[in-house]
Amino acid sequence: MKKLRRRIFATAGSNTISLGTGRKEFHPKKPRPGLEHYIKEAGQGALAQINDADNIDEGVIGNFMAARFNRQGNLAAMMPMVDAKLEYKPLIRVEGACGSGGLAISTGAKSILAEMADTVLAIGVEVQNTVKAVYGADILGGAGYYAGQRKNGHAYFFPGKFSDRAGAAYEKYGYDKVREAMARWYERAVLNARECPKAQEHHNSTEDLFAAGMTPPNPKTFCEHINFYDCSKVSDGASAVILASEEGLD
Amino acid sequence: MDLDARLEKVAVLGAAGKMGSGIALLLAAEMAKQKIKPENKDRTYALHAIDVSDEALCGLVSYLRPQITKIAEKSIVALREAYKGREDLVENSDIITAFVDEAMSVVRPSSKLESTAGSRLIFEAIIENKDIKIDVLKKLDAICPDAYYLTNTSSIPITVLDEGVGLGGRIIGYHFYNPPAVQKLLELISSKSTLPEVVELGTELAGRLRKKVFLANDIAGFIGNGHFMRDILHATGEVARLSGELGEAGAVYAMNRVSQDYLIRPMGIFQLIDYVGVDVCRFIMQVMTEHIEGETLEDDLLDRMAEAGVMGGQYANGSQKDGILKYEGGRPAGVYDLEKGGYRLFADGDWTAKSDEKLGAMPEGNAAWRALLMDPKKEQKLATYFGNVASSDAFGAGLARTYLVRAKEIADKLVSDGVANSPEDVNGVMTNGFYHLYGPINEYAGLVAAA
Ligand SMILES: NC(=O)c1ccc[n+]([C@@H]2O[C@H](COP(=O)([O-])OP(=O)(O)OC[C@H]3O[C@@H](n4cnc5c(N)ncnc54)[C@H](O)[C@@H]3O)[C@@H](O)[C@H]2O)c1
C-alpha cells in the first residue's frame, strides 16, 4: 500500500516535564510521582483541549517494562484514571522498547484506518528512576536479545552497543574528530533543552558544555568509547496526543 | 609470604567499632575480589571480625551487607568481567548478589579472640588505650606467630606497642581516617624497627584499597592529629582571650566562624572537635604529652566541657551528637554555655549578632568551602580572597590572619621535628584527610604575615 486511504490528524498534544537528575525538582532520596501521576497529567492535558472525553473512541498507551521498573502490568487499565468516561472503551497497551510511544501512535492510526475509531487518545509513559542506573541497565537490556547477548554484553548493555559503534567511528575518522563531533552534539542538545522548560536538561547551567562533552571515556567505570555526556539520562515523564479522522476532528 | 597469601587469613580487632567496621568492610570486599578469581578457587578466605561486644557484632553484619552491595554496584564493570565464566549469572543484579554473598561468607564475626588463630594480617582498631592494646596484642601473638600487625592508633607511638608486645618490628601504624570506607587518606607510620617488608606490604595493600598514602614518622599524634590538636589549642586560646568581651559562648561561636567561614574550611574547629569527640581529643592530647618531650598539650575549655558531660561524637547511624555545639539537622544551632549549664541557641537573643558585629565585614572575595571545592579557578580565587584578608582592618580578618600564621607554624614544626618528611606530606594529610582546600604550608600565610 503506497498511500493511506484516510487522512489522519494529530492534535491536542501534551507533555509533562522529563524528571530526572539535573532537574531542580529531582532528589534521588525523596518520593517522586509515579506512573499514575504522569498518565493522568499528560492524558488530561490532551483532553482539556477538546470538549468532552466521551468523544474519544479508543485509547492506546505505549510503555517499556513497567512490569519491572514499577511492578505494574496491564497499563491500559490505568487509562480511565485520566477520565472516567474512558471506562468500557477499547483500551490497549503496546510495547516496542524505545519505540513504544511511536507504536502507540501507529496503533491508533491503524484503528482509524480500519474505521474502528474516529478519535484515539495515544499516551506514552515511562517512570524509570525507580531503580539505580546499574539495575536500570538490566531492565533496558531486555530490549536486546537476552538469551543470546546479555551475558556477554556490557554492564550498561545499550551504552555498550553505542560504545562499540563509537569505537568503529574513531577507527574510521580518527578519535579527535569524532570526539569533538559528539561533544558538539551534547552541547547542542543541552542548548536546545535550555529553551524548553519541560526538558530534563533545562536547568543545566554548565558553562563549558563542549569541554564536558570532551571528557575522555573511562572504561573502568563506564564504557570504552563513550562518556556519560554521550548518553541520555534516565527520565520519568509522559506525552499524549489525540489522533483523529476528518470526522473525528469535527 | 606475599600479600595474596596473607589476605587469606585476616583479623580485625574492634570490628564492631566506628573504625573497625569500616576497615572490615574494605577488607571483606578486597578478599571477595581475590576469592572469585579462578586461580584462587582452592584457597579459603577468612576475615575474623573480633569485638568484645556480641550485640555490636550483630550490628556489624547488618552494616556490612548494604555497604558491600554499594561497593559491588560501583564495581559492576570489573565484576562482570570477573564473573565471565559463570553462565548462571547474567544480569547485573545476579552478579551483585553473588558478590555480596561471597563477601559475607568471608566474614566470621566472633567475640572470642582464640578464633583468630593463624591469622596472617591483623588490623587493630580497639579502644585507644596503650595497656589494653598491648595486652590484647600479646594474647594474639601467642596464637598468630607470623602475623603482621596494622594498628589504627591515633596517637600512641608504634614503638611503644612494638616493644610492649615484643613484636620485633612486625607492626606498622595504619591510620585510616573516619569513615575508613570513604576517606581516601591513609597515614602510614613506621617506627625505627618496623620491618621493611611490613611497610612494603602495607603500601601495596593501600594501593589495592585505593587509598592515598602519606608516610609519617613515629612521633605521637603523627601528622594529622599532630596538626589538629595544636590547631585546637590555638582556637581555644583565642576563645579565652575573647571571652571577656563576647562571653565564652560568644567567643566559641566567633572562633568557629573564623575557622570555617574565614579560613574556608569544611567545618569550624569546634564542629570538628565534636565530630571526633571531646574526650577523644583530650585523650590524644594526653598521649601526645606523655610521649613528646618538652610540650604539654592541655586544654582547659575541653576539660571543663568534658566535666560538664559535653561529649560530642556520633550516633550509631553516623549522625552528630550534641557536643560543644548543638546540632539541628546536622548543622550547628547553638553553643554549650558552661555558666548557664545548657545550650544557648543561635536563634535566641542577639548574642551571636554581637559576635558577628565584633568580627566585622567579611573580606571581599569570600566564598563557601563547597562552592570552591570543584572550582577550576579555586587557587586564583583563594589568592584574591586572602589578599583581601591581609589588607582588611576588620577584627575577624585579623583573627583569620593569626590563625593562618599559626597553622603554618604548626605544620613547619611537624617537618622540622621530623614527624613529616616534607611540607608536601603535611599539606597532603590536611587536604586529603581534613578536606582543607589548601595545605597549612602555603603562600597565603606569608601574605597575611606581612600584613
Ligand atoms: N574515630 C576516629 O575518628 C578515629 C580515626 C582514626 C583512628 N582512630 C583509632 O581507631 C581505634 C578505634 O577507634 P573507634 O573510634 O573506632 O572506637 P570505637 O569505640 O567506635 O570502637 C572500638 C571497638 O573496639 C571494641 N573493643 C574494645 N576493647 C576491645 C578488646 N579488648 N577486644 C576486642 N574489641 C574491643 C569495642 O567494643 C568497640 O566496638 C582507636 O585506636 C582510635 O584512636 C579513630
Side-chain angles (χ1 to χ4, degrees):
Chain A
M1 197 175 86
K2 295 225 166 81
K3 185 166 167 275
L4 300 185
R5 303 223 167 100
R6 289 178 90 182
R7 294 217 286 166
I8 297 177
F9 300 87
T11 183
S14 159
N15 298 313
T16 70
I17 61 164
S18 293
L19 185 69
T21 56
R23 286 288 306 189
K24 288 200 171 119
E25 307 89 329
F26 182 80
H27 189 293
K29 296 215 170 98
K30 291 207 175 128
R32 282 182 295 279
L35 284 171
E36 180 178 343
H37 169 90
Y38 288 107
I39 293 171
K40 275 159 89 169
E41 188 187 326
Q44 288 169 355
L47 291 181
Q49 300 171 56
I50 64 168
N51 297 332
D52 187 355
D54 221 8
N55 291 326
I56 297 293
D57 295 330
E58 266 190 45
V60 189
I61 186 164
N63 164 272
F64 180 55
M65 292 281 196
R68 289 192 71 187
F69 278 114
N70 318 97
R71 315 273 162 131
Q72 177 66 60
N74 196 17
L75 289 195
M78 293 177 86
M79 291 190 83
M81 289 175 171
V82 174
D83 193 308
K85 287 181 179 162
L86 294 177
E87 227 178 355
Y88 311 121
K89 299 211 167 154
L91 302 171
I92 185 173
R93 176 260 175 104
V94 292
E95 186 262 296
C98 304
S100 298
L103 279 188
I105 292 176
S106 67
T107 304
K110 282 185 178 186
S111 286
I112 295 170
L113 289 174
E115 303 196 357
M116 305 277 290
D118 281 316
T119 49
V120 179
L121 174 65
I123 298 181
V125 63
E126 293 298 334
V127 176
Q128 302 189 340
N129 279 300
T130 47
V131 298
K132 288 187 183 174
V134 62
Y135 304 113
D138 277 340
I139 301 177
L140 297 176
Y145 177 24
Y146 179 85
Q149 291 191 348
R150 182 65 189 113
K151 175 64 191 167
N152 294 324
H154 194 276
Y156 298 94
F157 186 79
F158 275 101
K161 294 279 175 205
F162 286 105
S163 171
D164 292 346
R165 281 159 182 69
Y170 295 156
E171 282 215 343
K172 192 157 175 196
Y173 303 106
Y175 173 84
D176 291 340
K177 188 171 176 182
V178 177
R179 184 77 256 143
E180 277 169 28
M182 294 207 291
R184 202 56 84 191
W185 193 354
Y186 166 72
E187 181 185 40
R188 287 276 159 79
V190 176
L191 290 178
N192 285 338
R194 284 184 188 159
E195 303 291 312
C196 171
K198 289 181 173 177
Q200 186 165 348
E201 295 289 353
H202 181 65
H203 299 135
N204 184 326
S205 59
T206 304
E207 266 174 48
D208 196 343
L209 290 165
F210 182 73
M214 288 299 287
T215 308
N218 178 358
K220 280 205 174 130
T221 53
F222 194 50
C223 295
E224 202 177 338
H225 301 299
I226 59 175
N227 62 35
F228 288 120
Y229 304 103
D230 295 323
C231 302
S232 61
K233 289 178 171 175
V234 172
S235 334
D236 301 344
S239 291
V241 67
I242 293 173
L243 305 168
S245 63
E246 278 196 77
E247 294 80 353
L249 214 50
D250 290 339
Chain B
M1 207 183 320
D2 65 1
L3 177 58
D4 283 338
R6 289 201 180 263
L7 274 174
E8 285 174 53
K9 267 184 107 28
V10 180
V12 177
L13 309 177
K18 250 191 320 248
M19 301 305 288
S21 55
I23 297 169
L25 167 64
L26 290 170
L27 291 167
E30 174 57 26
M31 289 165 76
K33 278 181 192 163
Q34 295 302 319
K35 190 175 174 211
I36 62 175
K37 287 184 183 165
E39 67 265 30
N40 290 337
K41 71 176 193 313
D42 297 327
R43 299 189 182 204
T44 313
Y45 290 83
L47 173 62
H48 298 287
I50 307 295
D51 203 286
V52 283
S53 161
D54 257 326
E55 191 193 345
L57 282 171
C58 292
L60 172 70
V61 175
S62 22
Y63 162 79
L64 286 179
R65 183 172 280 281
Q67 294 299 324
I68 290 178
T69 305
K70 279 192 194 161
I71 293 179
E73 288 166 354
K74 284 199 191 128
S75 323
I76 189 64
V77 175
L79 286 179
R80 274 198 89 85
E81 182 62 26
Y83 279 117
K84 217 166 39 183
R86 285 279 300 271
E87 287 301 323
D88 56 323
L89 305 177
V90 181
E91 297 212 316
N92 294 339
S93 61
D94 302 334
I95 284 165
I96 289 163
T97 309
F99 182 79
V100 173
D101 288 347
E102 207 80 75
M104 292 308 290
S105 76
V106 164
V107 183
R108 316 277 157 80
S110 170
S111 53
K112 304 246 170 336
L113 214 52
E114 308 82 72
S115 59
T116 60
S119 290
R120 299 163 183 171
L121 273 185
I122 296 176
F123 292 79
E124 179 280 305
I126 64 173
I127 182 168
E128 184 77 348
N129 175 308
K130 180 186 78 181
D131 297 329
I132 300 182
K133 283 197 199 276
I134 289 178
D135 181 53
V136 169
L137 295 189
K138 263 191 183 152
K139 287 187 189 142
L140 275 169
D141 195 38
I143 51 175
C144 310
D146 306 320
Y148 286 171
Y149 292 83
L150 300 94
T151 171
N152 200 48
T153 178
S154 302
S155 55
I156 306 168
I158 310 308
T159 314
V160 171
L161 297 176
D162 190 7
E163 287 171 1
V165 185
L167 290 172
R170 280 181 291 122
I171 183 167
I172 190 167
Y174 217 60
H175 191 212
F176 288 95
Y177 276 60
N178 183 23
V182 179
Q183 289 259 39
K184 283 269 161 272
L185 177 72
L186 186 79
E187 234 179 315
L188 206 74
I189 306 117
S190 49
S191 76
K192 291 212 169 60
S193 47
T194 300
L195 299 170
E197 52 267 38
V198 181
V199 182
E200 220 167 273
L201 184 131
T203 312
E204 186 185 349
L205 177 64
R208 287 209 202 163
L209 301 179
R210 294 214 200 89
K211 296 293 169 198
K212 220 169 162 168
V213 177
F214 286 92
L215 299 177
N217 295 314
D218 193 23
I219 297 172
F222 318 123
I223 298 177
N225 286 320
H227 197 280
F228 174 36
M229 294 303 137
R230 292 169 177 113
D231 214 43
I232 294 178
L233 293 175
H234 171 72
T236 53
E238 294 283 66
V239 166
R241 196 163 67 84
L242 299 173
S243 285
E245 186 174 345
L246 301 175
E248 197 168 59
V252 166
Y253 166 82
M255 286 314 295
N256 199 61
R257 268 205 72 198
V258 168
S259 50
Q260 175 164 18
D261 301 344
Y262 285 70
L263 300 188
I264 321 189
R265 289 182 178 179
M267 52 172 89
I269 188 79
F270 290 101
Q271 188 178 355
L272 185 59
I273 295 171
D274 287 343
Y275 179 80
V276 172
V278 174
D279 249 1
V280 176
C281 293
R282 290 174 69 228
F283 192 75
I284 294 174
M285 287 187 190
Q286 196 185 318
V287 176
M288 287 172 67
T289 303
E290 199 178 311
H291 295 284
I292 299 174
E293 238 176 89
E295 187 177 0
T296 306
L297 291 95
E298 247 171 18
D299 193 81
D300 174 57
L301 179 64
L302 296 196
D303 289 350
R304 284 184 291 123
M305 286 287 178
E307 217 165 278
V310 173
M311 288 302 171
Q314 285 131 55
Y315 291 104
N317 69 2
S319 65
Q320 180 63 48
K321 288 183 186 168
D322 290 340
I324 298 176
L325 306 183
K326 182 176 177 56
Y327 298 88
E328 273 165 20
R331 297 220 178 119
V335 174
Y336 193 84
D337 185 341
L338 284 158
E339 254 169 59
K340 177 177 144 190
Y343 287 97
R344 258 185 182 222
L345 297 181
F346 295 165
D348 282 350
D350 62 354
W351 64 285
T352 55
K354 206 175 129 201
S355 295
D356 289 336
E357 199 181 311
K358 174 79 186 165
L359 293 177
M362 174 65 84
E364 295 262 325
N366 179 269
W369 172 82
R370 185 168 294 286
L372 286 187
L373 190 59
M374 293 303 206
D375 193 326
K377 298 190 189 114
K378 178 178 82 183
E379 255 115 68
Q380 201 183 315
K381 289 183 178 172
L382 283 173
T384 310
Y385 165 67
F386 283 117
N388 296 334
V389 170
S391 60
S392 160
D393 353 316
F395 188 71
L399 291 175
R401 289 195 291 266
T402 12
Y403 211 126
L404 272 179
V405 170
R406 178 62 191 144
K408 176 165 184 296
E409 264 170 29
I410 297 170
D412 284 336
K413 191 157 183 318
L414 287 172
V415 180
S416 62
D417 285 352
V419 179
N421 297 328
S422 70
E424 289 73 36
D425 284 351
V426 184
N427 284 350
V429 168
M430 299 315 288
T431 50
N432 288 284
F434 292 77
Y435 293 99
H436 291 180
L437 292 175
Y438 53 93
I441 303 181
N442 55 55
E443 73 247 38
Y444 319 131
L447 205 69
V448 302

